[in-house]
Amino acid sequence: MSGASVARNGRRERVYRRDEIEAMIADGNHIFILDDKVMKVDAWLKYHPGGDKAIKHMIGRDATDEAHAIHSAGTLKRMDNFQIGRINGPWLNFLPPIQGGHFRPLEITEEATAFATSTALELEEQDSSSRESSAEPSPVFDPANGPHMRSRKSHAESTSSSASSISSLDVEEKTTQETTSENMTRQAIEHDLKVYPALDVKTQANIMTKYRELQKRIEAEGLYECRYTSYLIEACRYTLFFVLCLTFLHYGWYKTSGLFLGIFWHQLVFTAHDTGHVAVTHNYQIDSTIGMIVADWLGGLSLGWWKRSHNVHHIITNSCEHDPDIQHLPFFAVSHRFMSSLRSTYYDRIMSYDAFAKIMINYQHFLYYPILCFGRFNLYRLSWEYILLGLGPRKGPAAWHRWFELAGQIFFWYWFGYQMVYKCIPNGWDRFAFVMISHIVTMPVHVQITLSHFAMSTADLGVTESFPQRMLRTTMDVDCPQWLDFFHGGLQFQAIHHLYPRIPRHNLRRTQKLVMQFCKDVGIPYAIYGFGDGNGKIIGKLGDVAKQARILAECQRVIVESGEMGH
């Protein structure tokens, strides 16, 4: 072994203290924990095929479960190149900077440590009954000004004092207080704390241990192994739909042709989804190539954009500020918190709750299905934005994807836009009908995607919540007979998929039984509804938020009319 290798291995074995890691993050370094190893990934950030945002949500956290869920064993092995040391003992998560966490330089942490040591006995005597674990305080229920707390105030907290002083009249003050974002947020959190396991370190550590044991069992039972015959059957189904599209197009049945083209695109999404998770061959470049051919060349949608967005969704699921999959203002709001004009960390902009949004949210439960009929057009926009602006990595293993996708987009609009719509259909009305029918028919896939999350919790329970509990708290499954699996394409097993996203979808039904037993063992409710009941829950959730919007608007009107707005 060379001297350089010995020196490198020596650096990797260095044990870092918590305050040292905090200080490095305060200096702008991107550091997380993986299998008790300290990983510094600044050099990799701009090359990461899944985008930099996914990594930034792991800064200061133990990313072991998230990294193992999303990445293959080979990728995890290559990540060892970024190891700079190790930790000794369990790790308590910081709140990442992208989520509002603040980090102190080393000299400040040393002063804080000395202060904490000198007052530890006094605090123990005063508050021993309230501190049952070594977990960091909750960012919602506990003080955020202690020397050891790395959190940020939620928007609800920052508005509570002003909301309580808006009116001097008792009746107005009571009404306003009951409808503030703070109280709604607190109620949602209290509900989840009653329903789901406690957030103390011991309970969450037990959940993580059993989750990792289940992963080993899944691997041992071969559930990560792909059944290629199942994808052969899928390919035959896709081919049949496309041939029917061309046949009816040839005979001038344009509306029927558009129907089968839409079904063709609807089914393609499922395979693109699998390859995006490297769940087919488990080889990143092979699956990416297949996925780009399916998504871009045949479907006109960017797989790279989807992966950049979807990885963040899998890491910080159903977070109003951070998960792009639930950020749909001005058309939808799945939480009252969107009425506060939150800032999206993914899109890096304010999601304005403006006059148009207020109108749309009031009727969102009626507009849900009509708006989703046009969902594919929005995906075109997002795909073009990603490719043309070069939002993906420009160097590294995924650098060539941008150009392959650009070629795929040109090919798609040539065969679909020029050859099929313009050349084969003789008049404007039939062209319009063909395009609209083919795109509206894909609406069920947008329902299937939103179905598993819109109706679930959006509450933030803090940094101590384990990865598996958050996934199961924010995701639900759809119950359907096995013969109907082809229609849902694996999206009916979203809870299982969020726990183990690299499992091929044809094995998810077998995995479901194991996950149900895991949920029973650890006491996490497993949410599963029929397709009709699930749709009912979504409409009910959207209706509840619309009602909250109307109540809030009425309170604001009363406040303005009372002349107390100046307070």
Side-chain angles (χ1 to χ4, degrees):
M1 183 180 292
S2 66
S5 298
V6 173
R8 184 166 59 251
N9 290 335
R11 288 195 297 270
R12 289 179 177 177
E13 293 305 315
R14 176 186 170 179
V15 176
Y16 280 89
R17 302 193 313 270
R18 179 178 179 82
D19 58 343
E20 292 177 314
I21 294 175
E22 180 181 1
M24 286 190 290
I25 297 175
D27 288 339
N29 295 293
H30 295 81
I31 295 174
F32 58 81
I33 309 302
L34 174 61
D35 293 319
D36 294 331
K37 297 175 289 189
V38 180
M39 314 296 290
K40 182 175 179 292
V41 296
D42 298 73
W44 178 243
L45 202 65
K46 60 183 178 180
Y47 304 134
H48 184 227
D52 61 336
K53 295 283 197 304
I55 294 178
K56 290 188 177 198
H57 282 290
M58 289 292 99
I59 302 307
R61 296 177 59 94
D62 186 337
T64 300
D65 290 326
E66 289 87 344
H68 280 269
I70 294 173
H71 299 98
S72 65
T75 300
L76 293 172
K77 182 66 177 177
R78 288 192 293 274
M79 289 172 65
D80 286 342
N81 294 328
F82 302 100
Q83 181 185 353
I84 62 171
R86 307 188 69 85
I87 61 169
N88 186 15
W91 179 258
L92 295 179
N93 290 327
F94 287 114
L95 188 72
I98 193 174
Q99 297 179 21
H102 300 285
F103 295 79
R104 302 161 298 179
L106 190 58
E107 60 271 16
I108 296 179
T109 61
E110 289 174 345
E111 293 175 3
T113 301
F115 173 80
T117 301
S118 66
T119 59
L121 291 177
E122 180 182 352
L123 291 173
E124 183 69 29
E125 293 175 358
Q126 294 177 354
D127 198 31
S128 61
S129 63
S130 64
R131 293 185 290 114
E132 299 179 355
S133 75
S134 60
E136 294 187 357
S138 163
V140 175
F141 295 114
D142 295 320
N145 57 355
H148 61 293
M149 185 60 186
R150 300 274 64 83
S151 183
R152 51 96 173 98
K153 288 186 177 181
S154 66
H155 178 84
E157 288 179 297
S158 67
T159 59
S160 62
S161 59
S162 61
S164 63
S165 62
I166 287 177
S167 175
S168 61
L169 300 176
D170 290 343
V171 63
E172 289 184 2
E173 183 175 357
K174 182 176 185 297
T175 303
T176 303
Q177 181 178 1
E178 290 175 350
T179 57
T180 58
S181 179
E182 178 193 65
N183 286 334
M184 294 178 184
T185 300
R186 188 175 295 273
Q187 290 171 9
I189 292 175
E190 289 175 347
H191 170 269
D192 284 3
L193 291 176
K194 292 177 181 178
V195 173
Y196 290 89
L199 298 177
D200 63 274
V201 172
K202 183 178 180 181
T203 300
Q204 294 300 310
N206 177 62
I207 292 173
M208 288 188 290
T209 298
K210 290 185 178 296
Y211 167 71
R212 295 169 187 177
E213 291 173 352
L214 177 57
Q215 175 157 327
K216 292 179 181 178
R217 181 178 176 184
I218 289 172
E219 291 175 350
E221 295 192 14
L223 295 177
Y224 278 102
E225 298 175 6
C226 179
R227 298 193 316 236
Y228 293 109
T229 54
S230 297
Y231 283 101
L232 177 61
I233 296 172
E234 300 284 348
C236 293
R237 185 183 299 119
Y238 305 158
T239 302
L240 172 63
F241 291 141
F242 194 67
V243 168
L244 288 171
C245 165
L246 294 178
T247 301
F248 286 110
L249 182 67
H250 175 74
Y251 287 105
W253 291 40
Y254 303 123
K255 297 179 181 62
T256 308
S257 175
L259 171 69
F260 282 105
L261 181 60
I263 295 174
F264 170 72
W265 283 336
H266 173 267
Q267 291 287 298
L268 280 184
V269 166
F270 306 139
T271 295
H273 178 261
D274 292 354
T275 58
H277 281 291
V278 198
V280 180
T281 69
H282 299 299
N283 179 291
Y284 171 73
Q285 295 293 8
I286 294 176
D287 274 8
S288 295
T289 302
I290 297 172
M292 286 185 288
I293 291 173
V294 171
D296 290 87
W297 294 65
L298 301 180
L301 306 178
S302 168
L303 185 74
W305 158 77
W306 176 83
K307 291 174 70 171
R308 181 174 184 261
S309 168
H310 201 64
N311 282 346
V312 175
H313 164 68
H314 267 264
I315 288 172
I316 193 74
T317 308
N318 265 26
S319 169
C320 297
E321 297 96 333
H322 312 301
D323 183 0
D325 277 20
I326 64 169
Q327 295 175 348
H328 300 298
L329 277 180
F331 300 106
F332 299 123
V334 297
S335 168
H336 64 277
R337 299 197 59 227
F338 285 104
M339 302 171 203
S340 304
S341 292
L342 297 175
R343 182 174 190 84
S344 167
T345 59
Y346 180 82
Y347 294 109
D348 195 23
R349 61 174 172 80
I350 298 295
M351 298 177 286
S352 298
Y353 187 61
D354 53 21
F356 180 69
K358 291 176 181 178
I359 295 173
M360 297 299 293
I361 300 310
N362 273 334
Y363 303 100
Q364 63 178 354
H365 46 310
F366 299 115
L367 298 173
Y368 174 66
Y369 297 112
I371 289 176
L372 291 187
C373 289
F374 301 92
R376 191 173 185 86
F377 294 104
N378 185 51
L379 299 185
Y380 290 144
R381 178 187 66 84
L382 294 169
S383 297
W384 297 337
E385 181 181 73
Y386 174 83
I387 296 172
L388 296 179
L389 297 182
L391 299 181
R394 301 194 179 191
K395 294 183 179 180
W400 64 277
H401 292 184
R402 180 191 182 193
W403 307 109
F404 191 70
E405 288 200 283
L406 182 59
Q409 291 290 318
I410 294 172
F411 177 78
F412 171 80
W413 288 105
Y414 172 75
W415 74 257
F416 170 67
Y418 179 70
Q419 289 290 349
M420 186 172 282
V421 177
Y422 181 73
K423 295 283 287 185
C424 295
I425 303 178
N427 60 75
W429 169 249
D430 284 334
R431 289 170 185 161
F432 175 78
F434 176 83
V435 170
M436 295 307 298
I437 290 174
S438 62
H439 285 65
I440 289 174
V441 167
T442 66
M443 184 269 282
V445 78
H446 303 293
V447 174
Q448 290 163 324
I449 291 170
T450 59
L451 181 62
S452 297
H453 300 292
F454 271 23
M456 298 301 288
S457 173
T458 59
D460 181 2
L461 298 190
V463 296
T464 60
E465 185 178 29
S466 63
F467 170 73
Q469 177 165 314
R470 183 182 184 102
M471 294 303 103
L472 289 164
R473 182 173 60 84
T474 57
T475 312
M476 77 174 184
D477 276 356
V478 175
D479 190 24
C480 75
Q482 187 169 353
W483 65 267
L484 203 55
D485 283 353
F486 81 94
F487 173 75
H488 291 286
L491 298 182
Q492 74 273 36
F493 300 115
Q494 279 290 290
I496 290 88
H497 170 70
H498 268 254
L499 293 176
Y500 305 103
R502 291 183 298 107
I503 293 180
R505 60 185 160 104
H506 303 102
N507 293 338
L508 290 175
R509 184 172 287 276
R510 291 169 56 197
T511 310
Q512 185 183 51
K513 297 178 181 179
L514 301 179
V515 171
M516 284 180 168
Q517 184 59 49
F518 160 77
C519 290
K520 183 178 180 180
D521 291 343
V522 299
I524 297 178
Y526 176 71
I528 181 169
Y529 298 90
F531 188 69
D533 291 338
N535 276 265
K537 285 189 68 66
I538 281 189
I539 299 302
K541 177 70 170 287
L542 294 176
D544 288 343
V545 176
K547 182 179 179 180
Q548 292 169 356
R550 290 192 294 272
I551 293 173
L552 183 60
E554 178 64 18
C555 290
Q556 292 171 341
R557 185 188 64 80
V558 171
I559 292 169
V560 171
E561 291 179 353
S562 71
E564 298 292 331
M565 196 59 150
H567 291 286

